[in-house]
Amino acid sequence: MAPDYRRRGVAGTLLKHISALAADRQISQLELATIKETGNVSIFLRLGFLVVEEHLSERFVGADGQAVAEVMLKRHVP
């Protein structure tokens, strides 16, 4: 994402909306997966997610063909 569009609260706003939808449906936990090398894990940690699993991906590779790690994160719905 272009630097001018970072840190504007978009991820937090989306998560707040998703959490409300989950709560309405009595879903108690959110789960997501991301690629560690994108740098997004730290964003999700700041948003209250916890890393529950990390492993080398068998499905994805980096732009230069290098191995990448898939990270699974979970967060309880408030």
Side-chain angles (χ1 to χ4, degrees):
M1 181 180 289
D4 290 347
Y5 295 98
R6 293 183 184 164
R7 303 203 50 96
R8 294 189 177 229
V10 173
T13 299
L14 287 170
L15 182 58
K16 187 175 181 179
H17 181 69
I18 291 167
S19 293
L21 292 173
D24 287 347
R25 289 162 179 79
Q26 300 181 341
I27 296 170
S28 62
Q29 191 166 263
L30 299 177
E31 183 175 312
L32 65 88
T34 189
I35 301 298
K36 183 176 185 175
E37 289 75 11
T38 64
N40 291 330
V41 173
S42 62
I43 294 167
F44 293 118
L45 292 174
R46 283 196 307 272
L47 292 170
F49 283 85
L50 298 173
V51 173
V52 295
E53 182 182 336
E54 181 176 330
H55 63 271
L56 284 179
S57 179
E58 295 178 7
R59 301 182 296 162
F60 304 106
V61 294
D64 295 327
Q66 77 276 20
V68 296
E70 290 184 61
V71 180
M72 297 293 299
L73 301 103
K74 290 185 180 182
R75 175 186 172 200
H76 290 285
V77 174

